[in-house]
Amino acid sequence: MSEPDIRAKLGLRPVINCSGTMTSLGASIVVPHAVETIAAILTQWTELSDLQRIASRTIARLTGAEAGCVTASCSAAITLACAAAMTGKDLAAIERLPDSTGLKNEIVVQTGHLVSYGAPVDQGIRLSGAKLVPVGQATSAHAYQLAGAITENTAAAVYVVSHHVVDYGQIPLTTFCKIAHEKGVPVIVDAASEYDLKRFLEAGADLVLYSGHKFLGGPTSGIIAGKKDLVVACYLQNRGVGRGMKIGKEGMAGVIAALEAWETRDHSAIRAREQKALDLWKATLEGREGIAPVIVPDPTDNPLDRLQIWVDPERANISAWDLADRLGKGERPVIVRDHEAEHGYFYLDPCNLHPDEEFIVAERLVEELDAARRSNEPIVSDFAGRLLAQEQAILNWPD
Ligand SMILES: *Cc1c(COP(=O)(O)O)cnc(C)c1O
């Protein structure tokens, strides 16, 4: 990096992100075109309805949707989309939310999709004033259960695409759309973290929601794309529950720029760079006692591989979660993807690295594994205790 690192000046740790597009780490490296556009708009007056109109056209071009709008986040988009499905363009109803008395106000979702992305999906739905109706059980949902859950009070059906959701036993999106549409119910797809901007609309979704700050590399923002009347109803929520979720001119202009940059991004060059990092890490770890590195594809078919690192505590002298924790400490903290560490592995995600950071990551792996090998005691902490300590740490902020 040629410019001095702002983080040192602010007193922040120089974390290297190998965990993915995590909100808690700043969401993404914003692409240069968006950075320049944001800087340029910040000091100008502009008519926000025009900026949203341009966003609508840009979103429509990239997604194939009739229209689109932007909001504060994908989480906000979930709430706005559910609100829109209940109120339509009824301005009085929009002002009355979250009181949804007298409106169709039930939202059906498969139980296996009721996950947390940092906050519960179901809360994003309920914030609109809608009533949540779960469909099926955690690991099994059937078409007949969806059909049976839809009543004359159903406003929409929500479908979540994520590595967090249960990945078997769920209703495929095309079937989900077919059943909902037979009953006149629109389908809202939460595709926050997906690369493919067309596939879900093509599969029949009426509204698709994306994060602007994940793979797109925009500022913190949410994108709504889909049927025009529903998009308009989402936009109108800015006069109601959406006001507190508003996006400013910088976010709107920034996400438009990020979408433009996405159109011309050299995806295969990026893929090749990521592959080089994966190969380096794999070669670094291969042959190490108790360590098994495996390159694995993304679980929701995004064009992205990760390195899954299996850690045998008996032979490596350290557990997967202790290795993850230690990598995240020190002067060169590397934050890894460790949400499945209890199974004895974690992942390295190469999609958010600055140039040459992959070498630091390789050095850090060697450093911590060598230190573990030298330790007289096995470094294997109690996993249940780790979970409780993490819960406690949440409450300890700001100390
Ligand atoms: C990240 C994520 C969200 C929330 O997106 P934000 O834009 O950060 O609010 C919602 N749903 C899923 C599946 C996600 O992965």
Side-chain angles (χ1 to χ4, degrees), residues 110 146 150 157 159 171-189 199-208:
Q110 295 176 87
L146 176 60
I150 293 175
Y159 193 99
I171 305 170
L173 180 59
T174 45
T175 309
F176 191 88
C177 291
K178 184 167 170 280
I179 289 169
H181 290 162
E182 276 167 11
K183 306 220 169 221
V185 169
V187 172
I188 300 164
V189 174
R199 151 155 91 108
F200 308 106
L201 288 168
E202 283 165 2
D206 298 276
L207 283 180
V208 182

Side-chain angles (χ1 to χ4, degrees), residues 319-329 334 336 338 341 346 386:
S319 73
W321 55 89
D322 285 294
L323 181 53
D325 288 346
R326 282 166 186 239
L327 286 166
K329 297 205 171 99
V334 174
V336 304
D338 67 347
F346 59 83
R386 180 182 187 254

